[in-house]
Amino acid sequence: MGSKLTSIGKTVIVPMRLYSLKADKLSDIKSGATIAVPNDATNEQRALNVLVQAKLIKYNTKVADPTAKDIT
C-alpha cells in the first residue's frame, strides 16, 4: 500500500536568546550562577547548546539527549 505525504504547513525555528535582569553582558554572569532552561527535551537541549556557545557551560557530548544533569 502506497501512501502519499502532503505538506500541511511550514515550521519556523526561532533563535533562542539569553535574558537577565541582573547581567548586561555575558561577562557579568559569575561562575556558579543559576540559569533557568526550558523543561522539555527539545528546548532544553537547544538552551544548553546556547549556553555552550556562550562558553558558560560544558556538557557530556556522548549523551544522546543531554539535560541539565549532564552539565560537566
Side-chain angles (χ1 to χ4, degrees), residues 45 48-49 52 57-63 66-68 70-72:
Q45 186 171 356
L48 292 177
N49 288 335
V52 168
I57 67 164
K58 293 180 182 178
Y59 66 77
N60 183 354
T61 57
K62 294 179 181 177
V63 176
T67 68
D70 299 304
I71 294 173
T72 58

Side-chain angles (χ1 to χ4, degrees), residues 7-25:
S7 174
I8 59 169
K10 296 184 180 192
T11 300
V12 177
I13 298 176
V14 179
M16 285 192 143
R17 305 263 189 243
L18 296 173
Y19 296 95
S20 175
L21 297 174
K22 296 179 182 179
D24 292 324
K25 53 189 174 199

Side-chain angles (χ1 to χ4, degrees), residues 2-3 5-6 9-11 13 22 24 27-30 42-44 47 49-51 57-58 60 63 65 67 69:
S3 297
L5 298 177
T6 302
K10 296 184 180 192
T11 300
I13 298 176
K22 296 179 182 179
D24 292 324
S27 60
D28 292 341
I29 300 173
K30 307 243 186 282
T42 299
N43 289 310
E44 182 177 19
N49 288 335
V50 168
L51 296 172
I57 67 164
K58 293 180 182 178
N60 183 354
V63 176
D65 296 313
T67 68
K69 294 177 183 176

